[in-house]
Amino acid sequence: SQLPERSVAVVEAGRVGGECPFVSCMPSKALLRSALVRRLAAEAHRYGAVAEPLVLDEPGKAFAAAVARRDRTSEGRDDSRNAAEVVSSGATLCRGFGRIVGPGRVRMTLTEGGSAEFSFDDLVIATGSHPNIPPVPGLDQVPTWTSDEALSSAELPASMVVLGGGPVGCELAQVYATFGTEVTLVRSESHLLAPEEAFLGQILSGVLARQGIDVHLNSVAQVARRSGSGATVGLSDGVAVDAERVLLATGRTPWLEDIGLESLGLSPSDDGLAVDESCRVLGTEHVWAAGDVTGIAPFTHSANYQARGLVTNLRGEA
């Protein structure tokens, strides 16, 4: 028998499609590819691809070309096509912030002004995550970037301190170092890419060092202060690093603040909303969650997998 149609409203204050297409996976991999090709071109003569070393564009011009390609790859961070697809599917798209105000009710503060309120039979929470800001004294007084901001900017700093040695910090350290930025990477643990196997982080540390990146392991930023147009960051290993920009790559936290979970009697942990195998929020009947907000394997493909399972259950097709 044919399943009954359900009315659907989507509430989004940012870009429809999330982080991956616009300020995460797509732009970062585009820049990494440009950086890799630049490094290979610089060494083409070593591989016998050319007889003499190639004369490359100066780093600023090359980075501008890489940024242009990045922005083409991420469609200029324009989500209009995704938004159109949501609307054409029959859903109502509301641009703004939603807050649960009681069982079965969500109130929206619309970006264009005003507000609206919807009732729901089922609620899906897919608010994603936001970058962690480490509690370093003085950090709010110096020029910083999150990874989202770095992957939206065309600026090429002369020097940079990267706080964090996970995948994001290491990727961006490689990109900027390739285009001439003097990069210092600071990791609080004994190896990069924790909690992966230590030998992987050790191999990567050697790669980064050969690419001119100054890697500080077992070290944390203790203080930051303004220094000219940049910052001086004091590290726990006794080193003070001067840089034009500080990149914050110290992880992400599920976005659970100010969405009204308390009105449903929910008190999630910092690790995210706990869900069962069908992505139903534990302790509820009609509230579901998918993606980074659950704290489970915070990757785009994981969120897509959860969403497919969630929709199957909502449609009664399981």
Side-chain angles (χ1 to χ4, degrees):
S1 61
Q2 186 175 3
L3 292 167
E5 291 187 359
R6 305 186 72 176
S7 61
V8 177
V10 177
V11 184
E12 176 57 59
R15 298 182 181 92
V16 176
E19 305 294 324
C20 181
F22 305 113
V23 292
S24 182
C25 317
M26 299 295 285
S28 68
K29 300 312 175 284
L31 284 176
L32 279 170
R33 181 62 175 171
S34 297
L36 172 61
V37 172
R38 182 173 175 83
R39 287 189 180 277
L40 288 174
E43 299 183 359
H45 61 291
R46 299 181 185 275
Y47 295 99
V50 295
E52 301 292 337
L54 296 176
V55 178
L56 302 182
D57 283 346
E58 60 95 3
K61 290 182 179 179
F63 187 71
V67 164
R69 179 176 181 271
R70 176 201 72 186
D71 291 348
R72 290 194 302 272
T73 302
S74 59
E75 300 188 18
R77 291 170 293 283
D78 178 5
D79 71 342
S80 57
R81 185 171 67 174
N82 291 351
E85 289 178 358
V86 169
V87 173
S88 66
S89 73
T92 298
L93 175 60
C94 301
R95 297 283 194 170
F97 292 89
R99 181 178 176 82
I100 308 159
V101 293
R105 293 187 299 124
V106 171
R107 181 176 300 133
M108 284 152 286
T109 302
L110 303 176
T111 303
E112 63 188 18
S115 62
E117 188 167 315
F118 284 155
S119 60
F120 63 83
D121 296 320
D122 288 280
L123 173 68
V124 177
I125 299 174
T127 48
S129 60
H130 58 79
N132 292 335
I133 308 299
V136 177
L139 195 61
D140 59 344
Q141 303 298 314
V142 302
T144 61
W145 271 340
T146 63
S147 60
D148 295 358
E149 292 166 332
L151 290 168
S152 302
S153 175
E155 178 186 340
L156 179 63
S159 53
M160 173 183 287
V161 175
V162 179
L163 302 184
V168 173
C170 292
E171 284 183 353
L172 290 175
Q174 283 189 300
V175 166
Y176 283 100
T178 298
F179 290 99
T181 300
E182 184 179 334
V183 178
T184 301
L185 187 146
V186 182
R187 176 67 170 175
S188 61
E189 301 190 41
S190 60
H191 66 277
L192 301 176
L193 300 183
E196 302 292 340
E197 295 290 341
F199 79 92
L200 294 173
Q202 292 163 1
I203 291 171
L204 182 55
S205 289
V207 171
L208 297 184
R210 289 192 295 274
Q211 294 176 351
I213 297 167
D214 186 14
V215 179
H216 291 249
L217 300 174
N218 293 312
S219 184
V220 296
Q222 291 186 318
V223 66
R225 65 177 184 275
R226 192 86 184 190
S227 177
S229 59
T232 297
V233 180
L235 307 182
S236 59
D237 58 14
V239 175
V241 183
D242 294 323
E244 284 189 4
R245 181 73 64 171
V246 180
L247 177 64
L248 309 178
T250 49
R252 299 179 70 91
T253 298
W255 197 314
L256 297 167
E257 299 86 353
D258 299 323
I259 62 173
L261 291 174
E262 66 280 357
S263 67
L264 300 178
L266 294 174
S267 300
S269 71
D270 292 339
D271 295 330
L273 279 172
V275 297
D276 63 18
E277 65 277 2
S278 67
C279 286
R280 191 194 312 269
V281 176
L282 297 183
T284 71
E285 289 295 325
H286 298 283
V287 182
W288 312 72
D292 284 10
V293 74
T294 67
I296 300 172
F299 303 101
T300 299
H301 57 271
S302 304
N304 289 339
Y305 176 81
Q306 288 178 312
R308 287 194 297 270
L310 186 156
V311 169
T312 296
N313 283 286
L314 276 172
R315 289 174 57 85
E317 298 172 338

